[in-house]
Amino acid sequence: MKMESYKDIKMEDHHPMYFIDNNNFGVTNHSLISDYNINTSSLGFMELLGFHQDFYSSASVFELPKEENYCPAVCVSEEEEVKPSSVAPENQIISSSTIATGNVLNTPSTPNCSSISSEGHGDADGEVENHEQQNTKTKQQLKAKKTVSQKKQKEPRFAFMTKSEVDFLEDGYRWRKYGQKAVKNSPFPRNYYRCTNATCNVKKRVERCFSDPSIVVTTYEGKHTHPSPMNMMMSRPNCYPINPLLPSPGAFTLPMQFNINQSFNNLAMNNQLDHAAFVAQGRRFCSNTEMLGDQGIDLQDLMPSAVLKHEYNR
DNA sequence: CGTATTTGACCGGCGC
DNA sequence: GCGCCGGTCAAATACG
């Protein structure tokens, strides 16, 4: 599999989409995601992905060889998702300096539902109301309730587009597919995934761009309530990518060449890595019960399903 | 046998 | 009110 750099995306006029120039996304040889200057007080792109500072600030984690400098264009949508069928590959790239303004990375504040809680209470002069007034009020209440509930349902959502031959891009989390729908005017179906963590309600939609089948549009909805299994690995002191020349008993040596936009599986398939060694190291890590016990994670949480599948098929 | 995926049915929102 | 469409459910199926 080969991923290519993608710079030709057209912004829809009404969508607050932001695209990040390949060379500024932090996957070039020495620039980092942490150089992003994302407003940390808001819900950032990386936070939505569940990657925390302690993870992506590690230089070695995001170093990538020049020939693999494929970073996909990233688009972020605050209110609406990307509509793959309408995104034509054409122009307009905004560099990471533009992203630093951060307006689309901010999570829209959701109003409280306190207005609802007053429903049916404190109506002291209700006796004088006639039926018409009551009916009108009921309708208004229902309408208000409906509006609030609609707002409440709106989860922070963002999407990014990746030029890739594979549909499902691993991101460190485990997902369970719960649906697939045919997309109107598109030969490519839309796949629906849900985070397998019981306490997490994050959803993910994956579909191919109709106008350019080589582009995969991944839309995330919600925010993970738990750290990324991969993030957990990386954040543990003895689990950071280590220099293989410096032996560390019990340490899980992750591949030194790693990129957020590339899946674990892709990594394993990449000629930069030895897949068997990668899986074996994962096993070694996961067999260390002391390391896993306090976090309640298991092998499947740590190893993305695609990697595990790949192992099964061997 | 347990778990993940598939896929048709169902539901709710929205426009006409 | 009706139909279309996006999203979700859940039974059936596949797979290890």
Side-chain angles (χ1 to χ4, degrees):
Chain A
M1 188 208 116
K2 185 188 174 189
M3 299 179 78
E4 305 164 347
S5 104
Y6 181 70
K7 294 190 175 185
D8 301 316
I9 296 177
K10 179 182 180 181
M11 282 175 58
E12 278 194 358
D13 295 336
H14 59 287
H15 280 161
M17 290 188 214
Y18 287 75
F19 301 94
I20 299 173
D21 191 337
N22 192 24
N23 292 325
N24 290 319
F25 188 60
V27 295
T28 52
N29 267 1
H30 299 293
S31 62
L32 307 174
I33 286 291
S34 54
D35 290 336
Y36 242 160
N37 192 26
I38 289 173
N39 181 359
T40 54
S41 66
S42 63
L43 190 61
F45 172 70
M46 298 301 289
E47 286 170 337
L48 277 164
L49 274 178
F51 290 94
H52 304 291
Q53 180 68 24
D54 58 349
F55 172 57
Y56 57 79
S57 64
S58 171
S60 62
V61 166
F62 287 99
E63 283 176 3
L64 207 66
K66 276 183 181 172
E67 61 272 19
E68 293 294 330
N69 184 16
Y70 57 81
C71 176
V74 172
C75 68
V76 182
S77 176
E78 188 173 2
E79 293 287 335
E80 303 176 66
E81 70 275 23
V82 180
K83 294 182 174 58
S85 59
S86 58
V87 178
E90 275 177 30
N91 55 43
Q92 203 150 1
I93 296 291
I94 299 176
S95 72
S96 61
S97 58
T98 311
I99 270 284
T101 59
N103 53 337
V104 292
L105 291 173
N106 291 343
T107 308
S109 59
T110 307
N112 275 340
C113 301
S114 55
S115 59
I116 282 186
S117 64
S118 63
E119 188 178 342
H121 297 290
D123 196 2
D125 52 354
E127 292 175 357
V128 299
E129 287 183 346
N130 60 33
H131 289 296
E132 268 191 15
Q133 286 172 328
Q134 287 176 345
N135 286 339
T136 303
K137 191 175 181 179
T138 303
K139 285 179 183 177
Q140 288 173 343
Q141 286 172 342
L142 285 173
K143 190 177 181 179
K145 191 174 181 178
K146 188 181 178 182
T147 304
V148 171
S149 67
Q150 282 176 340
K151 282 187 179 179
K152 193 180 177 182
Q153 287 175 352
K154 278 205 171 185
E155 295 281 348
R157 182 185 283 184
F158 76 99
F160 65 92
M161 301 162 72
T162 309
K163 195 155 191 170
S164 170
E165 292 174 17
V166 295
D167 289 340
F168 192 89
L169 302 173
E170 291 289 345
D171 53 14
Y173 289 94
R174 291 191 67 241
W175 302 91
R176 171 193 287 267
K177 187 175 182 177
Y178 67 89
Q180 176 175 321
K181 284 289 282 191
V183 180
K184 195 186 176 186
N185 297 326
S186 173
F188 308 107
R190 176 181 296 151
N191 296 305
Y192 298 89
Y193 300 90
R194 186 174 289 140
C195 184
T196 57
N197 190 302
T199 64
C200 188
N201 199 31
V202 176
K203 291 168 193 170
K204 178 180 181 178
R205 263 180 7 202
V206 179
E207 57 193 302
R208 274 201 183 272
C209 179
F210 175 47
S211 59
D212 187 348
S214 65
I215 298 171
V216 175
V217 177
T218 307
T219 306
Y220 289 89
E221 185 176 331
K223 186 183 179 184
H224 290 285
T225 59
H226 58 100
S228 159
M230 187 159 62
N231 185 17
M232 289 166 65
M233 282 193 292
M234 305 299 281
S235 64
R236 302 187 78 104
N238 59 346
C239 299
Y240 266 90
I242 60 173
N243 187 334
L245 299 175
L246 301 174
S248 174
F252 175 34
T253 309
L254 278 176
M256 297 304 285
Q257 305 293 346
F258 178 78
N259 183 281
I260 182 177
N261 298 294
Q262 195 176 31
S263 70
F264 255 46
N265 192 37
N266 296 338
L267 265 176
M269 303 296 280
N270 193 309
N271 57 13
Q272 299 288 322
L273 301 173
D274 180 330
H275 177 268
F278 180 62
V279 172
Q281 285 165 346
R283 272 186 169 156
R284 188 160 53 117
F285 172 80
C286 294
S287 66
N288 187 334
T289 53
E290 183 272 324
M291 294 171 69
L292 301 180
D294 60 337
Q295 297 285 358
I297 55 179
D298 57 18
L299 173 62
Q300 287 191 328
D301 283 335
L302 291 165
M303 303 299 291
S305 55
V307 174
L308 293 169
K309 267 188 196 167
H310 188 78
E311 187 188 7
Y312 289 151
N313 293 334
R314 290 189 148 219

